[in-house]
Amino acid sequence: MTDRPHLAVIGAGPAGLAATLAAAARGLRVTLVDSAAEAGGQFYRQPAAELRARRPQALHHQWRVWERLRDDLRAHLRAGTVRHLTDHHVWLVERRPTDFVVHALLGPEQEDPATVRADAVLLATGGYEQVLPFPGWTLPGVVTAGGAQAMLKGTLVVPGRTAVVAGTGPLLLPVATGLAAAGVEVAALVESAGARAFARHLRPLVSQPGKLAEGALYAAQLARRRVRPLFRHTVVEAHGTERVEAVTVAALDAAGRVRPGTRRRIACDSLAVSHGMLAHTDLAESLGCRLDGHVVHVDDEQRTDVPRVWAAGEATGIGGSALALIEGRIAGSSAAARLTGTEPDRAEWDTSLKSRRRLREFAAALDAVYRPPAHWSEQVTDETLVCRCEEVTAGAVRAAVDDLGAGDPRTVKLLTRAGMGWCQGRICGPAVAGLAGCRPTPSRRPFARPVPLGVLAQEPDHPTEEGPS
Amino acid sequence: MSSPLDLADARPGPAFTVTLDDREIEALPGQTVAAALWAAGVTSWRTTRGAGRPRGVFCGIGVCFDCLVTVNDRPNQRACLVPLAPGDVIRTQEGTGHDD
């Protein structure tokens, strides 16, 4: 035991790893708490160790960056300056007068509790994918693009033999490329954004030549496999009875409406679909952190407006791994300085601050380019399920608005049960808001994941684990 | 024709057997329930509580709860998270997976 301040970092993706290393290098004791068996997050998700992959880098980009993060983490673990708690699913961070308690559930079954006491917390909780509904999107074989990638990276399996990759966003390219490299025939890459949108945001886009080169590399790899992206196209329906058998795609006009007479059917046994990313903000919300729209508000040092709570990476705005690494570094350095009562050395961060600004501008440009088609909801039939868990149809959501006068997502939820199921609206939230014609609102979930009643009923002063020495 | 295992040059230990509704399927060490089922060509293993529609993996990272399955008599396990051990008994899940 020492009197050095103890920081709990939640999430071992790029942001959490960078923050952990920065904070530990500057003298904090750090406990890195993560749900996976190995560090890396979704971006650097590693194949299960038992699969003994000799060439995991074949599934990844920026592998050298990962190796450096991994090696630095190992050095800190050996030195005892960092403790890494794997298979810990955090469901609540409790703020007490002088410290914080991180509450987690252990292992894949998530029934046994564990707690960590810390002087401060750093939220690097990442994000997950948004998929807007369309007829057939609940069929087995329809998966999120990131889900297909996570299954490939983590367990070396693919969803089928012939895939369509569709939706919008920079993620579609690496997902299509990865599936193709793993032996899947990619029958089509369907992207709703078009060249005009890129042209409108050229300046911030060309300011990141490395990112553009990465995109070009994916495009070249796809071209070699004769996969030609269909721009300004969208999937309007997935067909099948027990699983997806085909999809219908159509061209979009300049306003984002399906152009009549352009529908065509493409046979496939899997559809990987994504309409962008959403930030995981549950822990921040329950701590009372201010949100900006749907992401955690942070200042220049990545501090939230709650004392001794920092946030970095996708939780503070979707921006990719390079931005997450920089934000993590800044946050970890700030935490180290502030918790030891010193002013952070901004000169030391100068390059990071500049890169962060440019990468945020780049992310904002991408966000503007990769918008779901403006009239996506016109393709959603009344019979289409919107809330997958509670099996609530678009018709029911529309009736709640048109016939019952619901004017916000919360009222729609109370009238239809959309968002009351297992996932607590994480999947259907944006769709319900879009169909109801209102802005999505933060959901204010008290817990970040389901918690067994037995855990909640336990006495509150159960012993807590201390940090590394 | 390449496979994901070839791509990553994976050399897992010997495959073992688990059952899905009494049918034997092979799993590799390190695979989750969802991975072994996908590898066996199975994409749905649950029917919904209301309309009885088939479901399998959707988000792949534990967020959506679409891939719920019964493993060793425990219902509502997320197939994308739960690793398999030799002899595990997987059952497709109807509704909530309870006997009511």
Side-chain angles (χ1 to χ4, degrees):
Chain A
M1 286 294 295
T2 76
D3 54 1
R4 284 182 300 146
H6 177 210
L7 176 72
V9 175
I10 319 294
L17 282 171
T20 296
L21 299 173
R26 287 163 183 77
L28 295 190
R29 292 181 291 145
V30 183
T31 298
L32 176 60
V33 190
D34 189 60
S35 59
E38 288 184 65
Q42 298 304 340
F43 189 76
Y44 286 119
R45 182 184 269 254
Q46 302 297 309
E50 298 90 334
L51 288 164
R52 294 195 292 198
R54 297 175 179 199
R55 210 171 53 231
Q57 60 269 39
L59 305 160
H60 285 273
H61 273 260
Q62 307 284 341
W63 184 253
R64 276 195 209 135
V65 175
W66 160 249
E67 285 180 317
R68 206 165 58 234
L69 291 168
R70 181 197 61 194
D71 294 346
D72 288 356
L73 177 65
R74 284 179 183 165
H76 277 291
L77 293 172
R78 276 196 303 272
T81 44
V82 172
R83 181 175 54 150
H84 180 195
L85 301 178
T86 59
D87 287 314
H88 277 58
H89 299 257
V90 178
W91 55 274
L92 180 72
V93 179
E94 182 188 356
R95 185 183 173 203
R96 302 195 300 198
T98 58
D99 64 1
F100 295 85
V101 181
V102 177
H103 295 266
L105 297 166
L106 297 177
E109 290 168 353
Q110 300 180 30
E111 293 194 337
D112 298 318
T115 55
V116 177
R117 191 207 66 79
D119 300 306
V121 293
L122 196 154
L123 304 170
T125 46
Y128 64 103
E129 266 175 303
Q130 165 176 283
V131 177
L132 297 169
F134 48 88
W137 79 306
T138 51
L139 282 169
V142 179
V143 298
T144 68
Q149 193 182 47
M151 293 282 288
L152 175 56
K153 286 178 178 176
T155 58
L156 306 180
V157 294
V158 290
R161 289 185 179 164
T162 308
V164 169
V165 178
T168 187
L171 183 63
L172 299 187
L173 280 169
V175 169
T177 310
L179 289 175
V184 176
E185 184 202 344
V186 178
L189 171 56
V190 183
E191 166 59 64
S192 63
R196 261 187 237 169
F198 285 96
R200 278 198 297 274
H201 301 275
L202 213 51
R203 198 188 55 78
L205 291 175
V206 297
S207 76
Q208 295 292 328
K211 293 269 187 186
L212 293 187
E214 191 181 320
L217 184 69
Y218 289 130
Q221 286 173 356
L222 287 171
R224 206 163 57 236
R225 295 175 195 277
R226 301 182 190 285
V227 180
R228 205 159 47 90
L230 287 171
F231 288 101
R232 289 217 67 76
H233 276 68
T234 190
V235 165
V236 294
E237 186 170 359
H239 310 276
T241 48
E242 293 303 302
R243 69 171 297 172
V244 61
E245 292 160 12
V247 297
T248 292
V249 305
L252 292 161
D253 66 15
R257 278 198 172 86
V258 166
R259 282 167 51 193
T262 62
R263 287 172 191 251
R264 65 176 138 134
R265 199 176 162 112
I266 301 171
C268 60
D269 63 8
S270 43
L271 167 63
V273 61
S274 172
H275 295 113
M277 296 277 296
L278 301 165
H280 270 302
T281 57
D282 297 337
L283 296 175
E285 283 180 63
S286 54
L287 276 165
C289 299
R290 177 183 143 197
L291 299 191
D292 283 337
H294 289 273
V295 301
V296 182
H297 169 85
V298 287
D299 68 6
D300 273 358
E301 293 182 29
Q302 302 289 144
R303 290 179 296 187
T304 72
D305 67 342
V306 173
R308 290 178 292 131
V309 178
W310 281 258
E314 309 291 52
T316 68
I318 304 304
S321 68
L323 179 58
L325 285 167
I326 287 169
E327 289 186 352
R329 205 176 306 142
I330 293 170
S333 306
S334 166
R338 297 293 174 186
L339 294 175
T340 53
T342 55
E343 280 288 313
D345 181 359
R346 283 161 194 277
E348 184 192 321
W349 304 347
D350 205 32
T351 323
S352 294
L353 294 174
K354 277 183 197 149
S355 305
R356 183 178 65 182
R357 194 187 65 235
R358 281 200 294 270
L359 282 164
R360 281 182 178 169
E361 286 168 5
F362 181 75
L366 284 189
D367 188 52
V369 168
Y370 292 116
R371 284 277 160 85
H375 295 275
W376 63 266
S377 63
E378 291 173 12
Q379 304 306 315
V380 181
T381 59
D382 278 350
E383 297 73 35
T384 305
L385 286 193
V386 176
C387 171
R388 302 170 68 99
C389 302
E390 290 294 312
E391 298 173 84
V392 180
T393 62
V397 172
R398 286 169 176 145
V401 174
D402 298 339
D403 306 338
L404 304 173
D408 62 279
R410 187 171 174 77
T411 309
V412 173
K413 172 177 168 175
L414 294 171
L415 291 169
T416 65
R417 293 194 62 81
M420 280 191 193
W422 275 100
C423 89
Q424 286 288 291
R426 287 177 177 84
I427 305 297
C428 69
V432 168
L435 285 167
C438 43
R439 296 174 67 83
T441 48
S443 40
R444 298 201 187 90
R445 301 173 187 105
F447 306 140
R449 56 189 74 246
V451 188
L453 285 172
V455 171
L456 291 178
Q458 279 184 5
E459 55 176 331
D461 57 347
H462 49 78
T464 55
E465 298 178 40
E466 290 296 330
S469 57
Chain B
M1 179 73 186
S2 64
S3 80
L5 292 161
D6 294 339
L7 178 64
D9 195 12
R11 310 281 173 86
F16 54 81
T17 303
V18 298
T19 59
L20 170 66
D21 294 340
D22 303 323
R23 165 190 158 198
E24 291 196 343
I25 64 166
E26 282 207 333
L28 293 174
Q31 282 185 331
T32 58
V33 175
L37 294 179
W38 269 19
V42 180
T43 49
S44 74
W45 47 82
R46 173 171 88 92
T47 51
T48 59
R49 220 168 49 211
R53 299 299 302 146
R55 294 285 174 86
V57 167
F58 183 60
C59 82
I61 60 169
V63 175
C64 78
F65 293 84
D66 252 16
C67 68
L68 295 179
V69 69
T70 300
V71 183
N72 298 332
D73 293 328
R74 291 159 51 90
N76 298 319
Q77 302 297 301
R78 276 169 279 183
C80 71
L81 297 182
V82 177
L84 279 171
D88 277 348
V89 178
I90 312 164
R91 293 203 173 275
T92 52
Q93 177 170 320
E94 289 177 30
T96 61
H98 296 279
D99 289 332
D100 52 358

